[in-house]
Amino acid sequence: MNALPWTQQLILVPVLLPLLAGALLIPVNEARHNLKFAVNLGCNLVLLLSALILLGLSDQELWPGHLGVYLAANWMAPFGIALVADRLAGLLLLLTATLSLAALVFSSQGWSRIGVHFHSLFLFLLMGINGAFLTNDLFNLFVFFEVMLAASYGLVLHGYNTTRIRAGMQYIAINLVASLLFLIGIALIYASTGTLNMADLGPRIAALSAADLPLLQIGAAILALAFLTKGAMWPLGFWLPTTYAAASPPVAALLVLMTKVGIYALIRIWSLAFDAGPAAGFGLDALFWGGIATLVFGTLGILAAQEPGRMAGYAAIISSGTLMAVFGHGNPQLLSAGFYYLLGSTLATAAFLLLVGLTERIRSPGAALLALTMEAFAIDEKPEEPVGVGIPAALAFLGLAFAASALVITGLPPLSGFIAKFSLFHALLNGEAGISLRDWTLMILILCSGLAGIIALMRFGVRTFWASGAVQPPRLHPTEAGPVTLLLGLCVAMTVLAGPLLAYLERTTRDLGQAGSYVEQVLSTPAVPSPPRGEAP
């Protein structure tokens, strides 16, 4: 079945809509906050709907090869810039729309009002992230990365204070260096292959001579350094915990997703460019062991961290390290489980960061929560008197939400984190070549990172909800509790629907392994023919 014409145009919506809306909101006075929020909210809802439609289109037979291609300026690839939507891009667009909607609603009561141009920066950030997921051109990828990063600079510094400025300057400096590496890597790849189109890279690299191969490999290595700096690989990710701890909760929740954009770009380019030929599998071993080192760094960091924001930062580093090692391992079955892990860990870490600001409200000169908890479960010998004291609903919500996010982050049953790690272990233990030293190393470190997360988060939970000495029932607005409930509810839904979701992710991984089909579809998509002279288009 052929795709309807409008489905190709829909691929442009996740990029064009936030760009136009963000630009239109710049001249609007900050006093009209409700109007700016309404426009931003409407854009996010449209982005969520478009992501759902693109996800459905890519998984059906409407697009040849389950691939939608939009040719910018109506130039055929590889000469023009193509936007491509497939199963992986659709899934990540949906994750982005969900996280951004939760962060936006959470920020509506305070965080978006403490500075200027929050909503425009927020929308430009979405434009950059969505464009990075859709673009099929390396230079265009650089442009979307810079839009994303420039917006994130303003958001990290939003509502600035001394701590936020210090962390923001470090964040900006590191990412400027990474951007320079990005450009150098692109230049070397173009010098060796003569193209920047991702679909065109594979055939060009397969036909390279031995003399041109070293230049390509140097360029690819430099490009990987840029991606891995943004993806927080050790030792390049030292900036991340400080930035997470300093940023406001809704911005920090979006930063969790930004670390995955670098890893996505690496997976996308490597699956296309280094699928076959003399450079097949280039750098995967280094990526695996870099992921292992990142896992070790994140495990030690989360044990040493005392602030909840830094704990969440190290949890994100553990997630990134796991994904790097999974992709570097080269097992397709392992990669599909890795994508499931990516979804759950991103949602849970974002929910935890939103909770961080809320848990600070429970301290007061009142009685300790320990006493309250003991009274709540005490059994009175006089049946005629009331038994126990009820825990306030807001405090119970925070405790349950914290427990749920901790279960997913650490991989304990029964939520999606456990299913993700079980799936990873199942793939490692059932490999075709048997269980190797690399398999054992990855499994042991995943277990150790989970144990370290349990210790760190339990320590934080005890100090916050049990032994803080003075607590009061906090006041929570529905716009604060709702986003956290949404993100954790999706983790529960991932648990219930694990079978269909893993089946979808297996199809996604299979698509990544069929680089030839992807290349053929992108390069063969025809431009729209011009109407005959004298006729209206």
Side-chain angles (χ1 to χ4, degrees):
M1 184 183 297
N2 293 325
L4 298 174
W6 66 269
T7 63
Q8 305 293 337
Q9 306 295 329
L10 186 63
I11 299 173
L12 195 60
V13 171
V15 176
L16 190 60
L17 179 62
L19 171 63
L20 295 178
L24 290 174
L25 288 180
I26 290 177
V28 179
N29 192 286
E30 293 297 328
R32 307 187 68 179
H33 176 270
N34 290 336
L35 173 62
K36 301 183 86 167
F37 173 77
V39 172
N40 198 348
L41 180 63
C43 288
N44 273 267
L45 292 174
V46 173
L47 290 176
L48 180 62
L49 178 61
S50 65
L52 285 168
I53 295 174
L54 289 173
L55 184 72
L57 289 171
S58 63
D59 198 38
Q60 303 299 321
E61 299 295 334
L62 293 174
W63 284 336
H66 303 280
L67 205 68
V69 181
Y70 178 86
L71 300 177
N74 205 29
W75 282 81
M76 286 186 64
F79 306 105
I81 294 173
L83 299 180
V84 181
D86 62 354
R87 287 187 174 107
L88 180 58
L91 183 68
L92 293 178
L93 287 175
L94 181 58
L95 177 63
T96 301
T98 304
L99 271 181
S100 66
L101 182 62
L104 175 65
V105 173
F106 187 90
S107 68
S108 62
Q109 292 302 309
W111 292 108
S112 61
R113 302 170 185 260
I114 59 177
V116 297
H117 301 308
F118 175 88
H119 293 285
S120 292
L121 291 170
F122 192 97
L123 288 166
F124 292 149
L125 178 67
L126 293 184
M127 173 208 169
I129 295 175
N130 292 338
F133 289 145
L134 289 171
T135 186
N136 190 248
D137 182 87
L138 280 180
F139 188 78
N140 209 32
L141 178 65
F142 170 77
V143 172
F144 283 126
F145 260 85
E146 291 310 298
V147 171
M148 175 183 71
L149 290 171
S152 71
Y153 299 155
L155 289 174
V156 168
L157 294 172
H158 197 260
Y160 60 87
N161 54 39
T162 303
T163 303
R164 201 163 290 168
I165 290 176
R166 186 181 299 114
M169 291 299 104
Q170 174 183 269
Y171 172 70
I172 292 171
I174 293 299
N175 279 283
L176 287 177
V177 173
S179 297
L180 176 62
L181 294 175
F182 201 149
L183 274 180
I184 294 173
I186 288 175
L188 293 177
I189 290 175
Y190 184 76
S192 58
T193 63
T195 186
L196 292 178
N197 185 281
M198 296 181 194
D200 197 34
L201 275 176
R204 297 283 188 105
I205 291 174
L208 277 182
S209 65
D212 293 328
L213 198 58
L215 183 63
L216 168 73
Q217 292 174 334
I218 292 172
I222 294 175
L223 188 65
L225 282 178
F227 292 145
L228 294 173
T229 299
K230 303 173 193 298
M233 187 182 79
W234 182 86
L236 307 173
F238 63 90
W239 55 270
L240 190 145
T242 302
T243 305
Y244 277 37
S248 63
V251 173
L254 288 177
L255 291 178
V256 176
L257 181 63
M258 288 179 61
T259 60
K260 306 303 185 292
V261 177
I263 297 175
Y264 162 82
L266 196 70
I267 293 173
R268 174 68 74 191
I269 295 171
W270 254 245
S271 63
L272 292 172
F274 301 105
D275 179 63
F282 170 72
L284 290 184
D285 286 338
L287 181 63
F288 175 83
W289 293 110
I292 292 296
T294 305
L295 262 173
V296 173
F297 174 67
T299 300
L300 297 176
I302 200 171
L303 278 175
Q306 300 297 321
E307 301 175 19
R310 294 184 67 85
M311 291 180 193
Y314 284 113
I317 289 176
I318 290 173
S319 174
S320 293
T322 303
L323 292 170
M324 293 172 199
V326 162
F327 180 61
H329 190 280
N331 182 347
Q333 187 180 0
L334 187 64
L335 185 58
S336 61
F339 286 143
Y340 184 90
Y341 173 79
L342 180 152
L343 296 175
S345 64
T346 302
L347 292 171
T349 306
F352 179 74
L353 283 164
L354 296 181
L355 283 170
V356 167
L358 303 181
T359 57
E360 295 175 355
R361 302 179 186 176
I362 68 175
R363 294 180 178 84
S364 74
L369 181 60
L370 172 61
L372 179 62
T373 306
M374 292 178 65
E375 291 176 3
F377 295 97
I379 297 177
D380 199 313
E381 295 180 356
K382 299 179 180 180
E384 66 274 11
E385 296 182 359
V387 178
V389 176
I391 298 178
L395 197 57
F397 169 79
L398 291 180
L400 290 173
F402 167 76
S405 60
L407 287 175
V408 179
I409 290 172
T410 58
L412 291 177
L415 297 182
S416 59
F418 173 74
I419 296 176
K421 292 191 175 181
F422 182 86
S423 300
L424 290 172
F425 291 164
H426 181 269
L428 289 168
L429 293 172
N430 290 275
E432 296 180 357
I435 307 175
S436 64
L437 175 62
R438 300 202 315 173
D439 299 335
W440 284 116
T441 302
L442 181 56
M443 285 190 290
I444 290 171
L445 283 177
I446 289 176
L447 287 173
C448 290
S449 65
L451 178 61
I454 293 170
I455 295 171
L457 293 174
M458 183 179 295
R459 180 179 61 203
F460 170 73
V462 167
R463 291 176 178 176
T464 303
F465 296 101
W466 187 23
S468 57
V471 298
Q472 66 174 351
R475 294 182 179 272
L476 299 181
H477 195 273
T479 59
E480 295 172 325
V484 176
T485 305
L486 170 66
L487 296 179
L488 294 177
L490 288 174
C491 291
V492 175
M494 285 181 59
T495 306
V496 177
L497 301 174
L501 181 56
L502 284 170
Y504 177 89
L505 294 174
E506 288 174 1
R507 296 193 294 274
T508 302
T509 305
R510 187 168 59 249
D511 289 346
L512 287 175
Q514 297 173 349
S517 175
Y518 184 100
V519 170
E520 180 183 359
Q521 182 61 30
V522 173
L523 298 183
S524 65
T525 299
V528 178
S530 301
R533 182 172 297 181
E535 293 185 12

